Amino acid sequence: MMNSGIIQIQEKIYYWLFMALAFFIPVYDKAAALIIGLLLLNWILEGRFRKRFLAVRKDGLRKKIFLFSTLYFAYVLGMIYSKNLDYGLLDLETKLSILIFPLIFSTLSFEVLKGKMKHFLFAFLAGSLATTFILLFHSYLNYSESQSTSEFFYGGLSWYHHASYIAMFLDFRWG
């Protein structure tokens, strides 16, 4: 049996990691990957695996969330037919969050997320706004050197995310 103080600390760690993840998804994807790793590490360190998976077995909603992980196993099975193993393994690494997030969300106490969705959405909005300012400032600096307005369009503007990702981040609807 875990101490309730330790559980509260780990719930705060989850909260702040989810806040950081929501902020860094539009800002810097490599930081987001690190945060996902920290989320998984916190999940592992928390332990209580038996209790968690018993909760998944008993709760239909948790089972449905966990089913998303089966998609990752379909990709793993697809590796049997892959001729380019190096690319396939890199692709599996890229898609690892398809396995990690359902695992975490299906076994996580819903109290961690309850009533905090607006906080996460606000962090995402703040990250999107920060990205917008970073991209515009970078384009302005490039424009001041080149005097080319193309710095404010497509590739010149979105230099570290593909322009379609930036568009998706900025077009995200709150509901």
Side-chain angles (χ1 to χ4, degrees):
M1 180 109 174
M2 275 188 95
N3 183 345
S4 65
I6 293 172
I7 291 172
Q8 287 178 339
I9 290 170
Q10 288 191 295
E11 286 180 357
K12 285 183 193 258
I13 291 170
Y14 278 123
Y15 172 78
W16 286 109
L17 286 173
F18 282 128
M19 287 289 284
L21 180 62
F23 180 82
F24 279 107
I25 284 174
V27 174
Y28 189 58
D29 57 350
K30 290 183 181 21
L34 174 68
I35 294 165
I36 292 169
L38 292 173
L39 277 166
L40 182 62
L41 180 64
N42 189 50
W43 183 85
I44 291 168
L45 290 175
E46 190 176 8
R48 302 186 298 155
F49 302 112
R50 181 176 168 80
K51 180 179 178 185
R52 289 175 181 272
F53 288 109
L54 284 174
V56 171
R57 263 187 41 206
K58 291 179 184 177
D59 188 352
L61 176 61
R62 291 179 186 274
K63 282 181 190 175
K64 289 175 185 171
I65 295 171
F66 194 68
L67 278 176
F68 282 104
S69 294
T70 59
L71 178 60
Y72 187 79
F73 296 113
Y75 285 123
V76 171
L77 286 174
M79 287 290 292
I80 295 169
Y81 300 103
S82 177
K83 292 182 190 225
N84 188 345
L85 224 54
D86 291 333
Y87 178 79
L89 292 173
L90 183 65
D91 198 40
L92 284 177
E93 180 184 331
T94 303
K95 290 177 172 56
L96 197 56
S97 60
I98 295 173
L99 177 67
I100 293 172
F101 280 120
L103 180 69
I104 290 174
F105 285 128
S106 66
T107 59
L108 192 63
S109 166
F110 290 135
E111 294 301 315
V112 172
L113 303 174
K114 189 176 182 180
K116 298 177 179 113
M117 194 55 69
K118 284 188 180 180
H119 298 191
F120 303 139
L121 290 172
F122 183 78
F124 182 81
L125 176 65
S128 296
L129 190 61
T131 298
T132 301
F133 287 129
I134 290 168
L135 295 177
L136 286 172
F137 184 70
H138 182 265
S139 290
Y140 174 75
L141 291 177
N142 288 343
Y143 169 76
S144 64
E145 288 180 15
S146 69
Q147 299 299 310
S148 171
T149 57
S150 68
E151 298 296 340
F152 291 98
F153 297 101
Y154 197 68
L157 181 64
S158 59
W159 49 278
Y160 69 88
H161 276 309
H162 192 276
S164 61
Y165 287 121
I166 300 295
M168 283 189 298
F169 297 148
L170 297 178
D171 194 42
F172 182 74
R173 298 285 192 263
W174 289 65

